[in-house]
Amino acid sequence: EPEVTQTPSHQVTQMGQEVILRCVPISNHLYFYWYRQILGQKVEFLVSFYNNEISEKSEIFDDQFSVERPDGSNFTLKIRSTKLEDSAMYFCASSPHYEQYFGPGTRLTVT
Amino acid sequence: AQTVTQSQPEMSVQEAETVTLSCTYDTSESDYYLFWYKQPPSRQMILVIRQEAYKQQNATENRFSVNFQKAAKSFSLKISDSQLGDAAMYFCAYRSAGKGGKLVFGAGTILRVKS
């Protein structure tokens, strides 16, 4: 059964550094999403992406965040200058229509 | 904006017994989707069950079923014959019916299964 994959599984970075989180959505899906979950808290929407452009973004998704679909398979989330409060689990999801299927997540630790 | 409320931070159930997790939501929309996701200790988000708001029939997936009360804006999850592997955090989520809609999650309910 096709799955969403994410790399790396765990990323440790220093405050102020740039990180790129990578996702490979399920191949025939059209909608892509990034969510984050700070430890012990609810899952929060960051951004949705359709037809090679952002369709919706949350207040969290400020200028330090960007997304890209550089080729036909990858979907990336870039954080330009990481802050301590960016430490969280980042989930990628993809959807053929209304159901969203999540990847295993990338645990980002900012020190 | 839509909100999702899970009023039970934690629930316990004996193995083989039945447990119901509660979820309410607030929306002014008439067409939408509701979901339950399971998050085990691995933190993977696993889709358990889905419900389309326009369907009156409650969704069922094996041991998992929902009680969808549209007028009351309630969407509870019933787990029958609970198993140790059901122990996890369960999130209720709402999605508008439009294209590419985001999921709005509740705060989650931790389910513990006792042997």
Side-chain angles (χ1 to χ4, degrees):
Chain A
E1 188 171 323
E3 293 179 336
V4 177
T5 60
Q6 290 186 243
T7 54
S9 56
H10 188 197
Q11 173 93 47
V12 181
T13 189
Q14 289 191 329
M15 196 167 51
Q17 295 297 303
E18 175 183 287
V19 294
I20 298 176
L21 310 183
R22 291 183 167 81
C23 169
V24 179
I26 296 172
S27 63
N28 62 343
H29 287 187
L30 301 176
Y31 305 95
F32 314 113
Y33 307 83
W34 284 100
Y35 294 85
R36 80 172 185 190
Q37 184 184 31
I38 295 171
L39 187 63
Q41 297 187 22
K42 67 167 67 173
V43 180
E44 301 174 291
F45 167 76
L46 292 177
V47 65
S48 58
F49 194 86
Y50 170 72
N51 201 24
N52 286 320
E53 61 182 21
I54 290 173
S55 48
E56 186 177 359
K57 58 184 180 180
S58 71
E59 291 177 354
I60 303 167
F61 194 88
D62 61 21
D63 291 344
Q64 71 161 339
F65 290 92
S66 62
V67 289
E68 199 175 44
R69 190 157 161 82
D71 53 41
S73 59
N74 290 285
F75 179 50
T76 62
L77 174 69
K78 183 192 290 186
I79 309 175
R80 287 191 185 81
S81 177
T82 50
K83 304 171 188 169
L84 293 176
E85 54 264 37
D86 293 328
S87 293
M89 193 78 160
Y90 287 80
F91 292 102
C92 172
S94 71
S95 173
H97 177 50
Y98 68 92
E99 299 177 356
Q100 294 184 23
Y101 296 91
F102 283 72
T106 292
R107 185 157 64 102
L108 177 65
T109 303
V110 182
T111 62
Chain B
Q2 295 80 24
T3 58
V4 177
T5 302
Q6 294 180 248
S7 58
Q8 306 154 316
E10 195 169 320
M11 292 284 284
S12 290
V13 63
Q14 200 69 34
E15 203 175 0
E17 297 295 306
T18 296
V19 65
T20 299
L21 308 184
S22 301
C23 173
T24 58
Y25 57 94
D26 188 28
T27 185
S28 58
E29 299 174 333
S30 59
D31 198 14
Y32 48 86
Y33 303 96
L34 296 164
F35 305 88
W36 279 97
Y37 282 86
K38 172 184 178 181
Q39 187 179 44
S42 66
R43 299 189 72 182
Q44 170 88 50
M45 295 288 286
I46 302 165
L47 178 61
V48 174
I49 198 165
R50 68 200 66 92
Q51 175 78 43
E52 295 90 336
Y54 62 85
K55 289 187 178 178
Q56 292 188 341
Q57 186 172 6
N58 289 322
T60 299
E61 289 284 345
N62 300 312
R63 297 183 295 107
F64 298 87
S65 62
V66 298
N67 184 3
F68 173 49
Q69 301 288 328
K70 191 172 184 179
K73 296 179 183 173
S74 169
F75 182 61
S76 59
L77 174 69
K78 185 170 84 170
I79 306 174
S80 304
D81 186 26
S82 297
Q83 300 174 359
L84 294 176
D86 295 333
M89 176 78 95
Y90 286 82
F91 290 99
C92 178
Y94 172 102
R95 184 202 183 279
S96 297
K99 278 186 182 179
K102 65 179 186 256
L103 291 173
V104 177
F105 286 89
T109 297
I110 297 171
L111 177 66
R112 304 193 191 281
V113 181
K114 301 174 186 175
S115 59

